[in-house]
Amino acid sequence: MYKTLFYLLLISLIGCAKGQFNLKQDYKFIGIDGEVRKLHKRNDTIYLYKCFIDRPCIENSREHYKIVSSITDNEITVFKLEKLDSLQMTNDPYPETRYSLLILKNISNKELGVLQQNFGLTKNQIDTLHIVDAKLFKDKFFFTFFSDVYYNELFALKKIITKTDAEEVVEEIKNPKYKHLIDTYTKTKVYDMYASGITAELLNKACIEKGFSPIGAGIMINKLMKDEKR
């Protein structure tokens, strides 16, 4: 139901396609358990890598998408994608519904907003989308991906090493200023198993606000809290 409603919203947008947005560098989303999701563009293909903070990224051929076309309005870009990987254990390895949409928000040269891909579309459905109105995405929730340069800056920040450090960050997450972010997340209804994505988003923001590196923060906070209960 959500997938259908989201598609109908997109094809009814009113606006002008202006300019183009190019992914000139890689962007990373920092998870709470040491996982890092990397968004990479090479020529006409977008790759989504699953990485870890203590190991280099390995190319995962199961998640790469050909860019059919893109539409940009101000800071919002919609990529029309075709999944290039065949489905395993099926009589239809390249189904008609192998197309999807990826919505990006150009926040700054350091941060990129990424709205969950809308999977299960046909070529005809994505071809219907010709224009985008950035205003209609103003109140949508976007996960914040960090540029490679900014990621390295964040890595250089002080690390959470004590219980006091952990408590400071946890207390920051409780700040009412993040309520709007949570409300926006709830209304957007993104696919987020076990709410791990929104948890990471809040943790990353809280760490940066307090001057701590968000890279590995989730693992360390979890360890410090477990040690406290023993």
Side-chain angles (χ1 to χ4, degrees):
M1 175 64 73
Y2 166 65
K3 186 182 297 182
T4 303
L5 291 175
F6 189 65
Y7 166 68
L8 290 174
L9 169 65
L10 284 172
I11 64 173
S12 64
L13 299 180
I14 302 174
C16 304
K18 324 174 185 178
Q20 290 185 345
F21 174 72
N22 294 311
L23 290 168
K24 297 180 180 179
Q25 56 183 313
D26 294 341
Y27 289 85
K28 298 174 180 176
F29 181 77
I30 303 167
I32 59 175
D33 57 356
E35 182 178 323
V36 176
R37 295 284 287 173
K38 184 171 80 168
L39 181 65
H40 171 75
K41 177 179 175 293
R42 185 189 309 159
N43 299 321
D44 67 344
T45 305
I46 284 182
Y47 298 79
L48 285 169
Y49 298 155
K50 181 178 180 179
C51 319
F52 293 90
I53 59 175
D54 58 346
R55 299 193 293 274
C57 293
I58 299 175
E59 184 170 318
N60 183 356
S61 62
R62 289 175 297 176
E63 285 196 273
H64 66 284
Y65 307 85
K66 178 182 178 181
I67 300 172
V68 177
S69 63
S70 65
I71 307 171
T72 297
D73 179 21
N74 294 319
E75 76 278 11
I76 297 295
T77 293
V78 175
F79 279 105
K80 304 177 184 181
L81 305 177
E82 176 185 2
K83 186 174 176 60
L84 296 177
D85 313 302
S86 62
L87 296 180
Q88 303 298 316
M89 307 297 290
T90 177
N91 294 326
D92 188 12
Y94 292 100
E96 291 186 4
T97 55
R98 65 183 180 274
Y99 296 89
S100 60
L101 300 172
L102 177 64
I103 298 90
L104 304 180
K105 183 178 181 180
N106 188 18
I107 300 173
S108 69
N109 62 343
K110 291 184 175 183
E111 298 177 332
L112 179 72
V114 178
L115 184 59
Q116 180 69 41
Q117 286 185 326
N118 187 34
F119 294 100
L121 300 178
T122 65
K123 181 66 162 55
N124 183 61
Q125 285 176 315
I126 66 169
D127 285 345
T128 308
L129 177 61
H130 298 295
I131 54 179
V132 168
D133 186 353
K135 294 189 293 295
L136 293 180
F137 291 95
K138 180 180 178 181
D139 296 323
K140 296 294 181 183
F141 175 85
F142 288 79
F143 287 109
T144 305
F145 281 57
F146 305 113
S147 70
D148 270 350
V149 173
Y150 190 36
Y151 181 90
N152 292 332
E153 292 177 10
L154 294 175
F155 184 81
L157 293 177
K158 62 182 179 180
K159 305 299 187 290
I160 294 174
I161 57 176
T162 69
K163 176 186 172 185
T164 301
D165 294 339
E167 290 176 340
E168 184 178 354
V169 172
V170 171
E171 194 62 30
E172 171 64 19
I173 293 176
K174 299 177 184 177
N175 194 308
K177 68 184 179 184
Y178 298 112
K179 184 180 183 302
H180 176 70
L181 180 67
I182 296 172
D183 290 342
T184 303
Y185 165 84
T186 302
K187 292 177 182 177
T188 305
K189 298 179 181 178
V190 298
Y191 176 75
D192 182 18
M193 188 174 292
Y194 309 120
S196 59
I198 183 61
T199 302
E201 181 79 15
L202 291 168
L203 178 59
N204 294 340
K205 289 184 180 298
C207 284
I208 295 171
E209 180 68 23
K210 290 299 179 180
F212 290 102
S213 173
I215 302 169
I219 296 175
M220 184 54 66
I221 290 175
N222 187 50
K223 178 181 183 300
L224 291 167
M225 295 304 183
K226 281 185 177 180
D227 290 343
E228 178 186 7
K229 295 178 180 179
R230 289 177 182 174

